[in-house]
Amino acid sequence: MNIIESLEWRYAVKKFDENKYLTEKQIDILKNAFNLTATSYGLQTIKLVVIKNKELQAKLVEHSWNQQQIAQASHVFVLCVPKKYDTKNVDDYFNLVKKVRNTPDEILNPFKDFLLSNLKQKTQEELYIWNKNQAYIALGNLLTTCAVEKIDSCPMEGFTPEKYDEILDLESKNLQSVLVLPLGFRSDDDYMKDLKKVRKQTSETVLHIN
Protein backbone atom coordinates (compact mmCIF):
# COMPACT_ATOMS: atom_id res chain seq x y z
CA MET A 1 0.00 0.00 0.00
CA ASN A 2 1.10 3.59 -0.55
CA ILE A 3 1.15 6.00 2.39
CA ILE A 4 -2.37 7.38 1.79
CA GLU A 5 -3.83 3.87 1.52
CA SER A 6 -2.04 2.97 4.75
CA LEU A 7 -3.49 5.99 6.54
CA GLU A 8 -6.95 5.15 5.18
CA TRP A 9 -6.51 1.62 6.60
CA ARG A 10 -5.59 2.94 10.06
CA TYR A 11 -8.18 3.61 12.74
CA ALA A 12 -8.27 3.71 16.54
CA VAL A 13 -8.89 0.06 17.35
CA LYS A 14 -11.66 -0.61 19.86
CA LYS A 15 -10.95 -4.33 20.27
CA PHE A 16 -7.67 -6.14 19.74
CA ASP A 17 -7.21 -9.84 19.01
CA GLU A 18 -5.75 -11.09 22.30
CA ASN A 19 -4.12 -14.07 20.61
CA LYS A 20 -2.00 -12.14 18.12
CA TYR A 21 1.36 -10.64 19.03
CA LEU A 22 3.83 -8.31 17.39
CA THR A 23 7.16 -9.83 16.41
CA GLU A 24 10.44 -8.58 17.82
CA LYS A 25 11.23 -7.21 14.36
CA GLN A 26 8.03 -5.13 14.38
CA ILE A 27 8.79 -3.81 17.86
CA ASP A 28 12.33 -2.90 16.76
CA ILE A 29 10.92 -0.95 13.80
CA LEU A 30 8.65 1.01 16.12
CA LYS A 31 11.43 1.67 18.62
CA ASN A 32 13.66 2.97 15.84
CA ALA A 33 10.82 5.11 14.48
CA PHE A 34 10.39 6.62 17.94
CA ASN A 35 14.12 7.21 18.23
CA LEU A 36 14.22 8.93 14.82
CA THR A 37 11.34 11.29 15.63
CA ALA A 38 12.10 14.98 15.21
CA THR A 39 12.57 16.70 18.59
CA SER A 40 13.14 20.30 19.58
CA TYR A 41 16.83 21.14 19.09
CA GLY A 42 17.42 17.40 18.64
CA LEU A 43 17.61 16.94 22.42
CA GLN A 44 15.39 13.81 22.58
CA THR A 45 13.97 14.60 26.00
CA ILE A 46 11.12 12.09 25.67
CA LYS A 47 11.31 8.42 26.61
CA LEU A 48 9.38 5.32 25.55
CA VAL A 49 8.36 2.54 27.94
CA VAL A 50 7.51 -0.76 26.22
CA ILE A 51 5.21 -3.12 28.12
CA LYS A 52 4.61 -6.76 27.23
CA ASN A 53 3.14 -8.22 30.40
CA LYS A 54 -0.50 -9.32 30.45
CA GLU A 55 -0.74 -9.22 34.24
CA LEU A 56 0.60 -5.69 34.35
CA GLN A 57 -1.57 -4.62 31.41
CA ALA A 58 -4.67 -5.94 33.18
CA LYS A 59 -3.69 -3.97 36.27
CA LEU A 60 -3.47 -0.78 34.23
CA VAL A 61 -6.98 -1.10 32.77
CA GLU A 62 -8.74 0.44 35.79
CA HIS A 63 -6.40 3.42 35.51
CA SER A 64 -7.14 3.75 31.78
CA TRP A 65 -10.82 4.67 32.06
CA ASN A 66 -11.51 0.93 31.91
CA GLN A 67 -10.48 0.76 28.25
CA GLN A 68 -10.00 -2.94 27.60
CA GLN A 69 -7.58 -2.38 24.72
CA ILE A 70 -4.84 -2.02 27.34
CA ALA A 71 -5.32 -5.63 28.45
CA GLN A 72 -6.04 -7.02 24.98
CA ALA A 73 -3.06 -5.45 23.21
CA SER A 74 0.07 -7.32 22.26
CA HIS A 75 2.18 -4.47 23.68
CA VAL A 76 1.52 -1.14 25.35
CA PHE A 77 3.75 1.86 24.71
CA VAL A 78 3.86 4.62 27.32
CA LEU A 79 5.35 7.93 26.20
CA CYS A 80 7.05 9.81 29.01
CA VAL A 81 8.73 13.13 29.70
CA PRO A 82 11.14 14.16 32.46
CA LYS A 83 9.52 14.82 35.82
CA LYS A 84 12.23 17.34 36.56
CA TYR A 85 14.20 18.69 33.64
CA ASP A 86 17.77 19.90 34.06
CA THR A 87 20.45 21.01 31.66
CA LYS A 88 22.47 17.78 31.87
CA ASN A 89 20.46 16.71 28.83
CA VAL A 90 21.97 19.60 26.87
CA ASP A 91 25.51 18.65 27.91
CA ASP A 92 24.86 15.03 26.94
CA TYR A 93 23.53 16.08 23.54
CA PHE A 94 26.51 18.21 22.63
CA ASN A 95 28.92 15.53 23.83
CA LEU A 96 27.15 13.13 21.47
CA VAL A 97 27.32 15.60 18.57
CA LYS A 98 31.03 15.98 19.15
CA LYS A 99 31.49 12.21 19.27
CA VAL A 100 29.43 11.45 16.14
CA ARG A 101 30.43 14.41 13.96
CA ASN A 102 33.74 15.43 15.51
CA THR A 103 32.49 19.02 15.53
CA PRO A 104 34.94 21.40 17.25
CA ASP A 105 33.93 23.22 20.43
CA GLU A 106 34.27 26.65 18.86
CA ILE A 107 31.38 25.78 16.54
CA LEU A 108 29.24 23.98 19.15
CA ASN A 109 29.66 26.30 22.15
CA PRO A 110 27.67 29.35 20.92
CA PHE A 111 24.59 27.22 20.24
CA LYS A 112 25.11 25.26 23.45
CA ASP A 113 25.37 28.46 25.50
CA PHE A 114 22.18 29.77 23.86
CA LEU A 115 20.26 26.62 24.75
CA LEU A 116 21.50 26.55 28.33
CA SER A 117 20.55 30.18 28.83
CA ASN A 118 17.15 29.71 27.21
CA LEU A 119 16.21 26.62 29.20
CA LYS A 120 17.38 28.03 32.53
CA GLN A 121 14.86 30.86 32.10
CA LYS A 122 11.92 28.45 31.87
CA THR A 123 9.91 27.13 34.81
CA GLN A 124 9.46 23.40 35.31
CA GLU A 125 5.84 23.79 34.17
CA GLU A 126 6.96 25.46 30.95
CA LEU A 127 9.52 22.72 30.39
CA TYR A 128 6.85 20.08 31.02
CA ILE A 129 4.58 21.59 28.34
CA TRP A 130 7.52 21.89 25.94
CA ASN A 131 8.45 18.24 26.45
CA LYS A 132 4.85 17.03 26.29
CA ASN A 133 4.37 18.73 22.92
CA GLN A 134 7.27 16.68 21.61
CA ALA A 135 5.66 13.49 22.88
CA TYR A 136 2.70 14.24 20.60
CA ILE A 137 5.07 14.54 17.63
CA ALA A 138 6.48 11.11 18.52
CA LEU A 139 2.97 9.69 18.84
CA GLY A 140 2.09 10.91 15.35
CA ASN A 141 5.25 9.37 13.97
CA LEU A 142 4.45 6.05 15.66
CA LEU A 143 0.88 6.06 14.33
CA THR A 144 2.10 6.60 10.78
CA THR A 145 4.77 3.91 11.13
CA CYS A 146 2.16 1.51 12.48
CA ALA A 147 -0.09 2.20 9.51
CA VAL A 148 2.72 1.56 7.03
CA GLU A 149 3.68 -1.68 8.82
CA LYS A 150 0.03 -2.86 9.15
CA ILE A 151 0.18 -2.73 12.94
CA ASP A 152 -3.00 -1.68 14.71
CA SER A 153 -3.02 0.91 17.45
CA CYS A 154 -5.22 3.09 19.62
CA PRO A 155 -3.72 6.37 20.90
CA MET A 156 -4.93 7.32 24.39
CA GLU A 157 -4.95 10.37 26.61
CA GLY A 158 -7.67 8.77 28.74
CA PHE A 159 -5.68 7.40 31.64
CA THR A 160 -4.50 8.48 35.10
CA PRO A 161 -0.85 9.43 34.74
CA GLU A 162 -0.16 9.43 38.48
CA LYS A 163 -1.28 5.79 38.76
CA TYR A 164 0.74 4.74 35.73
CA ASP A 165 3.77 6.50 37.20
CA GLU A 166 3.29 4.68 40.49
CA ILE A 167 2.70 1.21 39.03
CA LEU A 168 5.55 1.50 36.53
CA ASP A 169 7.87 3.12 39.11
CA LEU A 170 8.55 5.98 36.71
CA GLU A 171 9.42 8.52 39.40
CA SER A 172 12.58 6.59 40.26
CA LYS A 173 13.61 7.16 36.62
CA ASN A 174 12.70 10.87 36.77
CA LEU A 175 9.85 10.26 34.33
CA GLN A 176 6.13 10.95 34.13
CA SER A 177 3.69 9.39 31.67
CA VAL A 178 1.83 11.61 29.19
CA LEU A 179 0.45 9.34 26.43
CA VAL A 180 -0.43 5.67 26.01
CA LEU A 181 -0.44 3.59 22.82
CA PRO A 182 -1.70 -0.02 22.92
CA LEU A 183 -0.57 -2.00 19.88
CA GLY A 184 -1.53 -5.26 18.22
CA PHE A 185 -3.98 -6.49 15.62
CA ARG A 186 -7.66 -5.70 15.26
CA SER A 187 -10.15 -8.34 16.30
CA ASP A 188 -12.46 -9.75 13.63
CA ASP A 189 -15.43 -8.64 15.72
CA ASP A 190 -14.28 -5.07 16.32
CA TYR A 191 -17.36 -3.12 15.26
CA MET A 192 -15.20 -0.27 13.98
CA LYS A 193 -13.01 -2.21 11.56
CA ASP A 194 -15.30 -2.07 8.51
CA LEU A 195 -16.77 1.38 9.05
CA LYS A 196 -15.93 4.12 6.56
CA LYS A 197 -13.45 6.70 7.76
CA VAL A 198 -15.11 10.03 8.57
CA ARG A 199 -13.02 13.00 7.48
CA LYS A 200 -13.76 16.46 6.12
CA GLN A 201 -12.75 17.25 2.56
CA THR A 202 -9.19 18.56 2.28
CA SER A 203 -10.68 21.73 0.77
CA GLU A 204 -12.16 22.40 4.24
CA THR A 205 -9.03 21.69 6.25
CA VAL A 206 -6.22 22.96 4.01
CA LEU A 207 -5.64 26.60 3.14
CA HIS A 208 -3.47 27.67 0.22
CA ILE A 209 -1.60 30.96 0.21
CA ASN A 210 0.07 31.70 -3.11
Side-chain angles (χ1 to χ4, degrees), residues 49-208:
V49 175
V50 179
I51 302 171
K52 184 188 177 184
N53 182 314
K54 287 294 186 181
E55 184 178 339
L56 178 56
Q57 289 168 230
K59 187 175 181 180
L60 291 170
V61 169
E62 66 174 305
H63 307 298
S64 311
W65 297 6
N66 205 38
Q67 296 176 91
Q68 296 302 312
Q69 298 99 310
I70 296 293
Q72 299 161 353
S74 167
H75 293 67
V76 175
F77 283 5
V78 183
L79 283 75
C80 304
V81 299
K83 188 170 182 66
K84 183 178 180 181
Y85 187 83
D86 60 42
T87 55
K88 180 180 182 299
N89 192 264
V90 176
D91 292 326
D92 290 344
Y93 169 72
F94 281 96
N95 288 336
L96 183 59
V97 172
K98 190 171 182 179
K99 178 181 177 181
V100 173
R101 296 177 176 169
N102 199 29
T103 308
D105 288 337
E106 56 265 28
I107 293 177
L108 293 178
N109 284 344
F111 185 35
K112 178 180 178 180
D113 292 343
F114 160 76
L115 281 184
L116 290 171
S117 174
N118 181 268
L119 294 176
K120 285 177 180 177
Q121 294 176 35
K122 297 184 183 298
T123 66
Q124 284 298 317
E125 178 62 22
E126 288 172 328
L127 290 168
Y128 168 75
I129 294 170
W130 173 62
N131 286 316
K132 186 175 181 180
N133 287 341
Q134 295 175 69
Y136 281 93
I137 297 172
L139 177 65
N141 196 31
L142 286 170
L143 290 175
T144 300
T145 304
C146 284
V148 170
E149 295 295 323
K150 297 296 290 288
I151 296 168
D152 284 306
S153 62
C154 182
M156 292 181 179
E157 289 182 302
F159 72 106
T160 306
E162 295 80 9
K163 286 296 184 180
Y164 266 65
D165 297 353
E166 177 186 334
I167 292 169
L168 301 176
D169 191 27
L170 296 180
E171 188 169 356
S172 70
K173 303 171 181 64
N174 190 36
L175 294 174
Q176 51 190 331
S177 53
V178 293
L179 294 166
V180 177
L181 184 65
L183 302 160
F185 301 97
R186 63 192 67 177
S187 173
D188 287 339
D189 61 348
D190 184 353
Y191 74 96
M192 287 285 291
K193 76 180 184 68
D194 295 320
L195 296 181
K196 291 183 177 180
K197 188 177 288 292
V198 179
R199 289 292 189 276
K200 295 178 180 179
Q201 295 295 314
T202 55
S203 59
E204 297 180 72
T205 60
V206 179
L207 303 177
H208 288 269

